[in-house]
Coordinates of all heavy atoms in Angstrom, one line a residue:
L1 N -15.6 -18.5 -36.6 CA -15.1 -17.7 -35.4 C -15.1 -18.6 -34.2 O -16.1 -19.2 -33.9 CB -16.0 -16.5 -35.2 CG -15.7 -15.6 -34.0 CD1 -14.3 -14.9 -34.3 CD2 -16.8 -14.6 -33.8
R2 N -13.9 -18.6 -33.5 CA -13.8 -19.5 -32.4 C -13.4 -18.6 -31.2 O -12.4 -17.9 -31.3 CB -12.8 -20.6 -32.6 CG -12.6 -21.5 -31.5 CD -11.8 -22.7 -31.9 NE -11.6 -23.5 -30.7 CZ -10.5 -24.1 -30.3 NH1 -9.5 -24.0 -31.0 NH2 -10.5 -24.8 -29.2
L3 N -14.1 -18.7 -30.1 CA -13.8 -17.9 -28.9 C -13.1 -18.7 -27.9 O -13.3 -19.9 -27.8 CB -15.1 -17.3 -28.3 CG -15.9 -16.4 -29.2 CD1 -17.2 -16.0 -28.5 CD2 -15.1 -15.1 -29.5
L4 N -12.2 -18.1 -27.1 CA -11.6 -18.8 -26.1 C -12.6 -19.0 -24.9 O -13.5 -18.3 -24.7 CB -10.4 -17.9 -25.5 CG -9.3 -17.7 -26.5 CD1 -8.3 -16.7 -25.8 CD2 -8.6 -19.0 -26.8
P5 N -12.4 -20.1 -24.2 CA -13.3 -20.4 -23.1 C -13.3 -19.3 -22.1 O -12.2 -18.7 -21.8 CB -12.8 -21.7 -22.5 CG -11.9 -22.3 -23.5 CD -11.4 -21.1 -24.4
Q6 N -14.4 -19.0 -21.5 CA -14.5 -17.9 -20.6 C -13.7 -18.1 -19.3 O -13.2 -17.2 -18.7 CB -16.0 -17.7 -20.2 CG -16.2 -16.5 -19.3 CD -17.7 -16.2 -19.0 OE1 -18.5 -17.0 -19.4 NE2 -18.0 -15.2 -18.4
Q7 N -13.5 -19.4 -19.0 CA -12.7 -19.7 -17.8 C -11.3 -19.1 -17.8 O -10.8 -18.7 -16.7 CB -12.6 -21.3 -17.7 CG -12.0 -21.7 -16.4 CD -12.1 -23.2 -16.2 OE1 -12.2 -23.9 -17.2 NE2 -11.9 -23.7 -15.0
R8 N -10.7 -19.1 -18.9 CA -9.3 -18.5 -19.0 C -9.4 -17.0 -18.6 O -8.5 -16.5 -17.9 CB -8.7 -18.6 -20.4 CG -8.4 -20.0 -20.7 CD -7.7 -20.1 -22.0 NE -7.5 -21.5 -22.4 CZ -6.9 -21.9 -23.5 NH1 -6.5 -21.0 -24.3 NH2 -6.7 -23.2 -23.7
Y9 N -10.4 -16.3 -19.0 CA -10.5 -14.9 -18.6 C -10.7 -14.8 -17.1 O -10.2 -13.9 -16.4 CB -11.7 -14.2 -19.3 CG -11.4 -14.1 -20.8 CD1 -12.2 -14.8 -21.7 CD2 -10.4 -13.3 -21.3 CE1 -12.0 -14.7 -23.1 CE2 -10.2 -13.2 -22.7 CZ -11.0 -13.8 -23.5 OH -10.8 -13.7 -24.9
L10 N -11.5 -15.7 -16.5 CA -11.8 -15.6 -15.1 C -10.5 -15.9 -14.3 O -10.2 -15.3 -13.3 CB -12.9 -16.6 -14.7 CG -14.3 -16.3 -15.2 CD1 -15.2 -17.4 -14.8 CD2 -14.7 -15.0 -14.6
Q11 N -9.7 -16.8 -14.8 CA -8.4 -17.1 -14.1 C -7.5 -15.9 -14.2 O -6.8 -15.6 -13.3 CB -7.8 -18.4 -14.8 CG -8.5 -19.6 -14.4 CD -7.9 -20.8 -15.2 OE1 -7.1 -20.7 -16.1 NE2 -8.4 -22.0 -14.8
A12 N -7.5 -15.2 -15.3 CA -6.6 -14.1 -15.5 C -7.1 -12.9 -14.6 O -6.3 -12.3 -13.9 CB -6.6 -13.6 -16.9
E13 N -8.4 -12.8 -14.5 CA -8.9 -11.7 -13.6 C -8.6 -12.1 -12.1 O -8.2 -11.2 -11.3 CB -10.4 -11.6 -13.7 CG -10.9 -10.9 -14.9 CD -12.4 -10.8 -15.0 OE1 -13.1 -11.0 -14.0 OE2 -12.9 -10.5 -16.1
R14 N -8.7 -13.3 -11.7 CA -8.3 -13.7 -10.4 C -6.9 -13.5 -10.1 O -6.5 -13.1 -9.0 CB -8.7 -15.2 -10.1 CG -10.1 -15.5 -10.0 CD -10.4 -16.9 -9.6 NE -11.7 -17.3 -10.0 CZ -12.1 -18.3 -10.8 NH1 -11.2 -19.1 -11.2 NH2 -13.3 -18.5 -11.1
A15 N -6.0 -13.8 -11.0 CA -4.6 -13.5 -10.9 C -4.3 -12.1 -10.7 O -3.5 -11.7 -9.9 CB -3.8 -14.1 -12.1
E16 N -4.9 -11.2 -11.5 CA -4.7 -9.8 -11.4 C -5.2 -9.3 -10.0 O -4.6 -8.5 -9.4 CB -5.5 -9.0 -12.5 CG -4.8 -9.2 -13.8 CD -5.7 -8.6 -15.0 OE1 -6.6 -7.8 -14.7 OE2 -5.4 -8.9 -16.1
V17 N -6.4 -9.7 -9.6 CA -6.9 -9.3 -8.3 C -6.0 -9.8 -7.2 O -5.7 -9.0 -6.2 CB -8.3 -9.9 -8.1 CG1 -8.8 -9.7 -6.6 CG2 -9.3 -9.2 -9.0
S18 N -5.5 -11.0 -7.3 CA -4.6 -11.5 -6.3 C -3.3 -10.7 -6.2 O -2.8 -10.4 -5.1 CB -4.3 -13.0 -6.6 OG -3.3 -13.5 -5.6
A19 N -2.8 -10.3 -7.4 CA -1.5 -9.5 -7.4 C -1.8 -8.1 -6.8 O -1.0 -7.6 -6.0 CB -1.1 -9.3 -8.8
L20 N -2.9 -7.5 -7.1 CA -3.3 -6.2 -6.5 C -3.5 -6.3 -5.0 O -3.0 -5.4 -4.2 CB -4.5 -5.6 -7.1 CG -4.4 -5.1 -8.5 CD1 -5.8 -4.8 -9.1 CD2 -3.4 -4.0 -8.6
E21 N -4.1 -7.4 -4.5 CA -4.2 -7.6 -3.1 C -2.9 -7.7 -2.4 O -2.7 -7.2 -1.3 CB -5.1 -8.8 -2.8 CG -6.6 -8.5 -3.1 CD -7.4 -9.8 -2.8 OE1 -6.9 -10.9 -2.6 OE2 -8.7 -9.7 -3.0
R22 N -2.0 -8.5 -3.0 CA -0.6 -8.7 -2.4 C 0.1 -7.3 -2.3 O 0.7 -7.0 -1.3 CB 0.2 -9.7 -3.2 CG -0.1 -11.1 -2.9 CD 0.9 -12.1 -3.5 NE 1.2 -11.8 -4.9 CZ 0.6 -12.4 -5.9 NH1 -0.4 -13.3 -5.6 NH2 0.9 -12.2 -7.1
K23 N 0.0 -6.5 -3.4 CA 0.6 -5.2 -3.4 C 0.1 -4.3 -2.3 O 0.8 -3.7 -1.6 CB 0.5 -4.6 -4.8 CG 1.2 -3.3 -4.9 CD 1.0 -2.7 -6.3 CE 1.7 -1.4 -6.5 NZ 1.6 -0.9 -7.9
R24 N -1.3 -4.3 -2.2 CA -1.9 -3.5 -1.1 C -1.5 -4.0 0.2 O -1.1 -3.2 1.1 CB -3.4 -3.6 -1.3 CG -4.1 -2.6 -0.3 CD -5.5 -2.6 -0.4 NE -6.0 -3.8 0.4 CZ -7.3 -4.1 0.6 NH1 -8.2 -3.4 0.1 NH2 -7.6 -5.2 1.2
N25 N -1.4 -5.3 0.5 CA -1.0 -5.8 1.8 C 0.5 -5.4 2.1 O 0.8 -5.0 3.2 CB -1.1 -7.3 1.8 CG -2.6 -7.7 1.9 OD1 -3.5 -7.0 2.2 ND2 -2.9 -9.0 1.5
I26 N 1.3 -5.5 1.1 CA 2.7 -5.1 1.3 C 2.8 -3.6 1.6 O 3.5 -3.2 2.5 CB 3.6 -5.5 0.1 CG1 3.7 -7.0 -0.1 CG2 5.0 -4.8 0.1 CD1 4.3 -7.5 -1.3
L27 N 2.1 -2.8 0.9 CA 2.1 -1.4 1.1 C 1.6 -1.0 2.5 O 2.1 -0.2 3.2 CB 1.4 -0.6 0.0 CG 2.1 -0.6 -1.3 CD1 1.2 0.1 -2.4 CD2 3.4 0.1 -1.3
C28 N 0.5 -1.7 2.9 CA -0.1 -1.4 4.2 C 0.9 -1.8 5.3 O 1.0 -1.1 6.3 CB -1.4 -2.2 4.4 SG -2.8 -1.4 3.4
C29 N 1.6 -2.9 5.2 CA 2.6 -3.3 6.1 C 3.7 -2.4 6.2 O 4.2 -2.0 7.3 CB 3.1 -4.7 5.8 SG 1.9 -6.0 6.1
L30 N 4.1 -1.9 5.1 CA 5.2 -0.9 5.0 C 4.9 0.4 5.7 O 5.6 1.0 6.4 CB 5.6 -0.7 3.5 CG 6.8 0.3 3.3 CD1 8.0 -0.2 4.0 CD2 7.0 0.4 1.8
I31 N 3.7 0.9 5.4 CA 3.2 2.1 6.0 C 3.1 2.0 7.5 O 3.6 2.8 8.3 CB 1.8 2.5 5.5 CG1 1.9 2.9 4.0 CG2 1.1 3.6 6.3 CD1 0.6 3.0 3.3
T32 N 2.6 0.8 8.0 CA 2.5 0.6 9.4 C 3.9 0.5 10.0 O 4.1 1.1 11.1 CB 1.8 -0.8 9.7 OG1 0.5 -0.7 9.1 CG2 1.6 -1.0 11.1
R33 N 4.8 -0.2 9.4 CA 6.2 -0.3 9.9 C 6.9 1.1 10.0 O 7.5 1.4 11.0 CB 7.0 -1.2 9.0 CG 8.3 -1.7 9.7 CD 9.1 -2.5 8.7 NE 9.9 -1.5 7.9 CZ 10.4 -1.7 6.8 NH1 10.4 -2.9 6.3 NH2 11.1 -0.8 6.1
I34 N 6.7 1.9 9.0 CA 7.3 3.3 9.0 C 6.7 4.1 10.2 O 7.4 4.7 10.9 CB 7.1 4.0 7.7 CG1 7.9 3.3 6.6 CG2 7.4 5.5 7.8 CD1 7.6 3.8 5.2
L35 N 5.4 4.0 10.3 CA 4.8 4.8 11.4 C 5.0 4.3 12.8 O 5.0 5.0 13.8 CB 3.3 5.0 11.1 CG 2.9 6.1 10.1 CD1 1.4 6.1 9.9 CD2 3.4 7.4 10.6
K36 N 5.3 3.0 12.9 CA 5.6 2.4 14.2 C 7.0 3.0 14.7 O 7.1 3.3 15.9 CB 5.8 0.9 14.2 CG 4.5 0.2 14.3 CD 4.7 -1.3 14.3 CE 3.4 -2.1 14.5 NZ 3.6 -3.5 14.6
V37 N 7.9 3.2 13.8 CA 9.2 3.8 14.1 C 9.1 5.3 14.3 O 9.6 5.8 15.3 CB 10.2 3.5 13.0 CG1 11.5 4.2 13.2 CG2 10.4 2.0 12.9
E38 N 8.4 6.0 13.4 CA 8.3 7.5 13.5 C 7.3 8.0 14.5 O 7.4 9.1 14.9 CB 8.0 8.0 12.1 CG 9.1 7.7 11.1 CD 10.4 8.4 11.3 OE1 10.4 9.5 11.9 OE2 11.4 7.9 11.0
K39 N 6.3 7.2 14.8 CA 5.2 7.6 15.7 C 4.2 8.5 15.1 O 3.0 8.4 15.2 CB 5.7 8.1 17.1 CG 6.6 7.2 17.8 CD 6.0 5.9 18.2 CE 7.0 5.1 19.0 NZ 6.8 3.7 18.8
Q40 N 4.7 9.5 14.4 CA 3.8 10.5 13.7 C 4.6 11.0 12.5 O 5.8 11.2 12.6 CB 3.3 11.6 14.6 CG 4.4 12.5 15.1 CD 3.8 13.6 16.0 OE1 2.7 13.5 16.5 NE2 4.6 14.6 16.3
L41 N 3.9 11.3 11.4 CA 4.6 11.7 10.2 C 3.6 12.5 9.3 O 2.4 12.1 9.3 CB 5.1 10.5 9.5 CG 6.2 10.6 8.5 CD1 7.4 11.3 9.1 CD2 6.6 9.3 7.9
H42 N 4.0 13.5 8.7 CA 3.2 14.2 7.7 C 2.8 13.3 6.6 O 3.7 12.5 6.1 CB 3.9 15.5 7.2 CG 3.1 16.4 6.4 ND1 2.7 16.1 5.1 CD2 2.6 17.6 6.7 CE1 2.0 17.1 4.6 NE2 1.9 18.0 5.6
I43 N 1.6 13.4 6.1 CA 1.2 12.4 5.1 C 2.0 12.5 3.8 O 2.3 11.4 3.2 CB -0.3 12.6 4.8 CG1 -0.9 11.4 4.0 CG2 -0.6 13.9 4.1 CD1 -2.4 11.4 3.9
D44 N 2.5 13.6 3.4 CA 3.3 13.7 2.2 C 4.7 13.0 2.5 O 5.2 12.3 1.6 CB 3.6 15.2 1.9 CG 2.4 15.9 1.4 OD1 1.4 15.2 1.0 OD2 2.4 17.2 1.4
N45 N 5.3 13.2 3.6 CA 6.5 12.5 3.9 C 6.3 11.0 4.0 O 7.2 10.3 3.5 CB 7.1 13.0 5.3 CG 7.6 14.4 5.2 OD1 7.9 15.0 4.1 ND2 7.6 15.1 6.3
L46 N 5.2 10.6 4.5 CA 4.9 9.1 4.5 C 4.9 8.6 3.1 O 5.4 7.5 2.8 CB 3.7 8.9 5.3 CG 3.2 7.4 5.4 CD1 4.3 6.6 6.1 CD2 1.9 7.3 6.1
V47 N 4.1 9.2 2.3 CA 4.0 8.8 0.9 C 5.4 8.7 0.2 O 5.7 7.7 -0.5 CB 3.0 9.7 0.1 CG1 3.1 9.4 -1.4 CG2 1.6 9.5 0.6
F48 N 6.2 9.7 0.4 CA 7.5 9.8 -0.3 C 8.4 8.6 0.3 O 9.1 8.0 -0.5 CB 8.2 11.1 -0.1 CG 7.6 12.2 -0.9 CD1 7.3 13.4 -0.3 CD2 7.3 12.0 -2.2 CE1 6.7 14.4 -1.0 CE2 6.7 13.1 -3.0 CZ 6.4 14.3 -2.4
R49 N 8.3 8.4 1.6 CA 9.1 7.3 2.2 C 8.6 5.9 1.7 O 9.5 5.0 1.4 CB 9.0 7.3 3.7 CG 9.6 8.6 4.2 CD 10.4 8.6 5.4 NE 10.9 7.4 6.0 CZ 11.0 7.2 7.3 NH1 10.7 8.1 8.1 NH2 11.5 6.0 7.7
V50 N 7.3 5.7 1.5 CA 6.8 4.5 0.9 C 7.3 4.3 -0.5 O 7.8 3.2 -0.9 CB 5.3 4.4 1.0 CG1 4.7 3.3 0.2 CG2 4.8 4.4 2.5
I51 N 7.2 5.3 -1.3 CA 7.6 5.2 -2.7 C 9.1 4.9 -2.8 O 9.6 4.1 -3.6 CB 7.3 6.5 -3.5 CG1 5.7 6.6 -3.6 CG2 7.9 6.5 -4.9 CD1 5.3 7.9 -4.2
D52 N 9.9 5.6 -2.0 CA 11.3 5.4 -1.9 C 11.7 4.0 -1.5 O 12.5 3.3 -2.1 CB 12.0 6.4 -1.0 CG 13.5 6.4 -1.1 OD1 14.0 6.5 -2.2 OD2 14.1 6.3 0.0
A53 N 11.0 3.5 -0.5 CA 11.3 2.1 0.0 C 10.9 1.1 -1.1 O 11.6 0.1 -1.3 CB 10.5 1.8 1.2
C54 N 9.9 1.3 -1.9 CA 9.5 0.4 -2.9 C 10.5 0.4 -4.1 O 10.8 -0.7 -4.6 CB 8.1 0.8 -3.5 SG 6.7 0.4 -2.4
Q55 N 11.0 1.6 -4.4 CA 11.9 1.7 -5.5 C 13.3 1.0 -5.1 O 13.9 0.4 -5.9 CB 12.2 3.1 -5.9 CG 11.0 3.7 -6.6 CD 11.1 5.2 -6.8 OE1 12.0 5.9 -6.3 NE2 10.3 5.8 -7.7
K56 N 13.7 1.1 -3.8 CA 14.9 0.6 -3.4 C 14.8 -0.9 -3.0 O 15.8 -1.5 -2.7 CB 15.4 1.4 -2.2 CG 15.9 2.8 -2.5 CD 16.4 3.5 -1.3 CE 16.8 4.9 -1.7 NZ 17.2 5.6 -0.4
G57 N 13.6 -1.4 -2.9 CA 13.4 -2.8 -2.5 C 13.5 -3.0 -1.0 O 13.8 -4.1 -0.6
E58 N 13.3 -1.9 -0.2 CA 13.5 -2.0 1.2 C 12.1 -2.2 1.8 O 11.6 -1.3 2.5 CB 14.1 -0.8 1.8 CG 15.5 -0.6 1.2 CD 16.1 0.8 1.6 OE1 15.4 1.6 2.1 OE2 17.3 1.0 1.4
L59 N 11.5 -3.3 1.6 CA 10.1 -3.5 2.0 C 10.0 -4.2 3.4 O 8.9 -4.4 3.9 CB 9.3 -4.3 1.0 CG 9.3 -3.6 -0.4 CD1 8.6 -4.5 -1.4 CD2 8.6 -2.3 -0.3
G60 N 11.0 -4.7 3.9 CA 11.0 -5.3 5.2 C 11.6 -6.7 5.2 O 12.1 -7.1 4.2
P61 N 11.7 -7.3 6.4 CA 12.3 -8.6 6.5 C 11.7 -9.6 5.5 O 10.5 -9.8 5.5 CB 12.1 -9.0 8.0 CG 11.7 -7.7 8.7 CD 11.1 -6.8 7.7
G62 N 12.5 -10.3 4.8 CA 12.1 -11.3 3.9 C 11.6 -10.8 2.6 O 11.3 -11.5 1.7
L63 N 11.5 -9.5 2.4 CA 11.0 -8.9 1.2 C 12.0 -7.9 0.5 O 11.7 -7.2 -0.3 CB 9.7 -8.1 1.4 CG 8.5 -8.9 1.9 CD1 7.4 -8.0 2.2 CD2 8.1 -9.9 0.8
Q64 N 13.3 -8.0 1.0 CA 14.3 -7.1 0.4 C 14.5 -7.3 -1.1 O 14.8 -6.3 -1.8 CB 15.7 -7.2 1.1 CG 15.7 -6.6 2.5 CD 15.2 -7.5 3.6 OE1 14.9 -8.7 3.4 NE2 15.2 -7.1 4.8
F65 N 14.3 -8.5 -1.5 CA 14.6 -8.8 -2.9 C 13.5 -8.2 -3.8 O 13.6 -8.1 -5.0 CB 14.7 -10.3 -3.2 CG 13.5 -11.0 -2.9 CD1 12.5 -11.2 -3.9 CD2 13.2 -11.5 -1.6 CE1 11.4 -11.9 -3.6 CE2 12.0 -12.2 -1.3 CZ 11.1 -12.4 -2.3
L66 N 12.3 -7.9 -3.2 CA 11.2 -7.6 -4.0 C 11.2 -6.0 -4.2 O 11.2 -5.3 -3.3 CB 9.9 -8.0 -3.3 CG 8.6 -7.7 -3.9 CD1 8.5 -8.5 -5.2 CD2 7.4 -8.1 -3.0
S67 N 11.1 -5.6 -5.5 CA 11.0 -4.2 -5.8 C 10.0 -4.1 -6.8 O 9.9 -4.8 -7.8 CB 12.4 -3.7 -6.4 OG 12.3 -2.4 -6.7
F68 N 9.0 -3.2 -6.6 CA 8.0 -3.0 -7.6 C 7.6 -1.5 -7.7 O 7.9 -0.7 -6.8 CB 6.7 -3.8 -7.2 CG 6.1 -3.5 -5.9 CD1 5.2 -2.6 -5.8 CD2 6.5 -4.3 -4.8 CE1 4.6 -2.3 -4.6 CE2 5.9 -4.0 -3.6 CZ 4.9 -3.0 -3.5
C69 N 6.9 -1.2 -8.7 CA 6.5 0.2 -9.0 C 5.4 0.6 -8.0 O 4.4 -0.1 -7.9 CB 6.1 0.3 -10.4 SG 5.6 2.0 -10.9
C70 N 5.6 1.7 -7.4 CA 4.6 2.2 -6.5 C 4.4 3.7 -6.8 O 5.3 4.5 -6.9 CB 5.0 2.0 -5.0 SG 4.0 2.8 -3.8
H71 N 3.1 4.1 -7.0 CA 2.8 5.5 -7.2 C 2.2 6.1 -6.0 O 1.7 5.4 -5.1 CB 1.8 5.6 -8.4 CG 2.4 5.0 -9.7 ND1 3.3 5.6 -10.4 CD2 2.1 3.8 -10.3 CE1 3.6 4.9 -11.5 NE2 2.9 3.8 -11.4
S72 N 2.1 7.4 -6.0 CA 1.5 8.1 -4.8 C 0.1 7.7 -4.6 O -0.4 7.6 -3.5 CB 1.7 9.6 -5.0 OG 1.0 10.1 -6.2
V73 N -0.6 7.4 -5.7 CA -2.0 7.0 -5.6 C -2.1 5.7 -4.8 O -3.0 5.5 -4.0 CB -2.7 6.9 -7.0 CG1 -4.1 6.4 -6.9 CG2 -2.7 8.3 -7.7
D74 N -1.2 4.8 -5.1 CA -1.2 3.5 -4.4 C -1.0 3.7 -2.9 O -1.7 3.1 -2.1 CB -0.1 2.6 -5.0 CG -0.2 2.3 -6.4 OD1 -1.3 2.2 -6.9 OD2 0.8 2.1 -7.1
A75 N 0.0 4.5 -2.6 CA 0.3 4.7 -1.2 C -0.8 5.5 -0.5 O -1.2 5.1 0.6 CB 1.6 5.5 -1.0
L76 N -1.4 6.5 -1.1 CA -2.5 7.2 -0.5 C -3.7 6.3 -0.3 O -4.4 6.4 0.7 CB -2.9 8.4 -1.4 CG -1.9 9.6 -1.2 CD1 -2.2 10.7 -2.3 CD2 -2.0 10.2 0.2
S77 N -4.0 5.5 -1.3 CA -5.1 4.5 -1.2 C -4.9 3.6 0.0 O -5.9 3.4 0.8 CB -5.2 3.7 -2.4 OG -6.1 2.7 -2.3
C78 N -3.7 3.1 0.3 CA -3.4 2.3 1.4 C -3.5 3.1 2.7 O -4.0 2.6 3.7 CB -2.1 1.6 1.3 SG -2.1 0.4 0.0
V79 N -3.1 4.3 2.7 CA -3.2 5.2 3.9 C -4.7 5.3 4.3 O -5.1 5.2 5.4 CB -2.5 6.5 3.7 CG1 -2.9 7.5 4.8 CG2 -1.0 6.4 3.7
L80 N -5.5 5.6 3.3 CA -7.0 5.8 3.5 C -7.6 4.5 4.0 O -8.4 4.5 4.9 CB -7.7 6.3 2.3 CG -7.4 7.7 1.8 CD1 -8.0 8.0 0.5 CD2 -7.8 8.7 2.9
H81 N -7.1 3.4 3.5 CA -7.6 2.1 3.9 C -7.3 1.9 5.4 O -8.1 1.4 6.2 CB -7.0 1.0 3.0 CG -7.4 -0.4 3.5 ND1 -8.6 -0.9 3.3 CD2 -6.6 -1.4 4.1 CE1 -8.7 -2.2 3.8 NE2 -7.5 -2.4 4.3
L82 N -6.0 2.2 5.8 CA -5.6 2.0 7.1 C -6.3 3.0 8.1 O -6.6 2.6 9.2 CB -4.1 2.1 7.3 CG -3.3 1.0 6.6 CD1 -1.8 1.3 6.6 CD2 -3.5 -0.3 7.4
L83 N -6.6 4.2 7.6 CA -7.4 5.1 8.4 C -8.8 4.6 8.7 O -9.3 4.7 9.8 CB -7.4 6.5 7.7 CG -6.2 7.4 7.8 CD1 -6.3 8.6 6.9 CD2 -6.1 7.9 9.3
N84 N -9.4 4.1 7.6 CA -10.8 3.5 7.7 C -10.8 2.3 8.6 O -11.8 2.1 9.3 CB -11.3 3.2 6.4 CG -11.7 4.4 5.6 OD1 -12.0 5.5 6.1 ND2 -11.7 4.3 4.3
Q85 N -9.7 1.5 8.6 CA -9.7 0.3 9.5 C -9.3 0.7 10.9 O -9.5 -0.2 11.8 CB -8.6 -0.6 8.9 CG -9.0 -1.2 7.6 CD -10.2 -2.1 7.7 OE1 -10.4 -2.9 8.6 NE2 -11.0 -2.0 6.7
G86 N -8.9 1.9 11.2 CA -8.6 2.3 12.6 C -7.1 2.1 13.0 O -6.8 2.3 14.1
Y87 N -6.3 1.6 12.0 CA -4.9 1.4 12.4 C -4.1 2.7 12.5 O -3.1 2.8 13.2 CB -4.2 0.5 11.3 CG -4.7 -0.9 11.4 CD1 -5.6 -1.4 10.4 CD2 -4.4 -1.8 12.4 CE1 -6.0 -2.7 10.4 CE2 -4.9 -3.0 12.4 CZ -5.7 -3.5 11.4 OH -6.2 -4.8 11.5
L88 N -4.5 3.7 11.7 CA -3.9 5.0 11.8 C -4.9 6.0 12.2 O -6.1 5.8 12.1 CB -3.4 5.4 10.4 CG -2.4 4.5 9.6 CD1 -2.1 5.1 8.3 CD2 -1.2 4.2 10.5
R89 N -4.4 7.2 12.7 CA -5.3 8.3 13.0 C -4.7 9.6 12.7 O -3.5 9.7 12.6 CB -5.8 8.2 14.5 CG -4.7 8.5 15.4 CD -5.1 8.5 16.8 NE -4.0 8.7 17.7 CZ -3.8 8.2 18.9 NH1 -4.8 7.5 19.4 NH2 -2.7 8.4 19.6
R90 N -5.5 10.6 12.5 CA -5.0 11.9 12.2 C -5.0 12.7 13.5 O -5.8 12.5 14.4 CB -6.0 12.7 11.3 CG -6.1 12.0 9.9 CD -7.2 12.8 9.1 NE -7.5 12.2 7.8 CZ -6.9 12.6 6.7 NH1 -6.0 13.6 6.7 NH2 -7.1 12.0 5.6
Q91 N -4.0 13.6 13.6 CA -4.0 14.5 14.8 C -5.1 15.4 14.7 O -5.5 15.9 13.6 CB -2.7 15.3 14.8 CG -1.5 14.4 15.2 CD -0.2 15.2 15.5 OE1 -0.2 16.4 15.1 NE2 0.8 14.6 16.0
E92 N -5.7 15.7 15.8 CA -6.9 16.5 15.8 C -6.7 18.0 15.3 O -7.5 18.4 14.5 CB -7.5 16.6 17.3 CG -8.9 17.1 17.4 CD -9.4 17.0 18.7 OE1 -9.4 15.9 19.3 OE2 -9.9 18.0 19.3
K93 N -5.6 18.6 15.7 CA -5.4 20.0 15.3 C -4.6 20.1 14.0 O -4.6 21.1 13.4 CB -4.7 20.8 16.4 CG -5.6 21.0 17.6 CD -5.0 21.8 18.6 CE -5.9 22.0 19.8 NZ -5.4 22.9 20.8
R94 N -4.0 19.0 13.6 CA -3.2 18.9 12.4 C -3.6 17.7 11.6 O -2.9 16.6 11.7 CB -1.7 18.9 12.7 CG -1.2 20.2 13.4 CD 0.2 20.2 13.6 NE 0.8 19.0 14.0 CZ 2.1 18.7 14.2 NH1 3.0 19.7 13.9 NH2 2.6 17.6 14.5
P95 N -4.6 17.7 10.9 CA -5.1 16.5 10.2 C -4.2 15.9 9.1 O -4.4 14.8 8.7 CB -6.5 16.9 9.6 CG -6.4 18.4 9.5 CD -5.5 18.8 10.6
H96 N -3.2 16.7 8.7 CA -2.3 16.2 7.7 C -1.1 15.4 8.3 O -0.3 14.8 7.6 CB -1.7 17.4 6.9 CG -1.1 18.5 7.7 ND1 -2.0 19.4 8.3 CD2 0.1 18.7 8.1 CE1 -1.2 20.2 9.0 NE2 0.0 19.8 8.9
V97 N -1.1 15.3 9.6 CA -0.1 14.5 10.4 C -0.8 13.2 10.8 O -1.8 13.3 11.5 CB 0.5 15.3 11.6 CG1 1.4 14.4 12.3 CG2 1.2 16.5 11.1
L98 N -0.2 12.1 10.5 CA -0.7 10.8 10.8 C 0.0 10.2 12.0 O 1.2 10.4 12.1 CB -0.7 9.8 9.6 CG -1.4 10.3 8.4 CD1 -1.1 9.3 7.2 CD2 -2.9 10.4 8.6
E99 N -0.7 9.4 12.8 CA -0.1 8.7 13.9 C -0.5 7.2 13.8 O -1.5 6.9 13.3 CB -0.6 9.2 15.3 CG -0.3 10.7 15.5 CD -0.9 11.2 16.8 OE1 -2.0 10.6 17.2 OE2 -0.4 12.1 17.4
Y100 N 0.4 6.4 14.4 CA 0.1 5.0 14.5 C -0.5 4.7 15.8 O -0.2 5.2 16.8 CB 1.4 4.1 14.3 CG 1.1 2.7 14.5 CD1 0.5 2.0 13.5 CD2 1.5 2.0 15.6 CE1 0.2 0.6 13.6 CE2 1.2 0.6 15.8 CZ 0.6 0.0 14.8 OH 0.3 -1.4 14.9

């Protein structure tokens, strides 16, 4: 029995982590760009706009050629990340509406 060196597994894990980080960064930039234009948006509408932009490959300047699969969980995760970082905020009386 011959096992593959562990280093190959580590390299594969690093590549997967790097790909996930790039995807999260792109989604966070897209969310921010959408909310900069709209100023405020219902969280459901924001998620649908992010998914639509990903499917159409409309991710922003220099990224039009890039199209990747984006699920609502991905977009919501990035929204929560941006809320925790303080880039987005919820309206006080309508917490389902987000503002930039």
